[in-house]
Amino acid sequence: MTTVKDIMHFMENLAPQYMKLGNDRVGLNCGHVNAPVSKILISLDASSAACHEAKEVGADLLLTHHALLYHPDFITDASEAGTNTLFLIENHIAHFNAHTNLDCAPGGVNDCFANRRMHFALSWFEPKLRWMQQTKLQILSIFSYYKNLFVYFL
């Protein structure tokens, strides 16, 4: 069974944390590393709408470009970021993000923009989807900066 830790290793190979810029917060924001993952929702931000959609579709992991919290903060319902973090924890949904490390990675966001294509190059992304299919993950949505690129169901 695929776990959060497996997705963390996959993302580390795809967009290594050493490629992040400065104090950028990347990686597992909340969740148990050994929790099973069968569905992933991918979104640009961990907004309230994305968190609620993750719950609605039964996702075990919310994978985003931007972090839940950008600086050390208290996790309370007094802020939107705190409320979203609490919501994910209470609903047993892990959250992982890859930000500037994904921007800088080969074939990442910057390469896509440099190629004047405002989407992920499917020829580059296809082997990653095959890996996810082999692990029996259900990818619910792949993000781009402007709209959902495509929906991929296994």
Side-chain angles (χ1 to χ4, degrees), residues 25 82 124:
R25 298 186 73 163
W124 172 84

Side-chain angles (χ1 to χ4, degrees), residues 102-154:
L102 183 60
D103 290 341
C104 299
V109 176
N110 290 343
D111 285 353
C112 292
F113 283 129
N115 289 331
R116 299 180 54 136
R117 297 179 188 159
M118 299 304 168
H119 62 278
F120 286 100
L122 293 181
S123 61
W124 172 84
F125 205 64
E126 185 179 1
K128 282 69 175 171
L129 291 175
R130 278 200 302 274
W131 177 86
M132 291 178 181
Q133 185 175 19
Q134 291 168 354
T135 60
K136 305 288 190 262
L137 289 173
Q138 186 176 23
I139 306 303
L140 299 168
S141 173
I142 306 295
F143 71 85
S144 76
Y145 273 93
Y146 296 104
K147 59 183 177 183
N148 282 340
L149 177 59
F150 61 91
V151 178
Y152 185 81
F153 293 98
L154 299 178

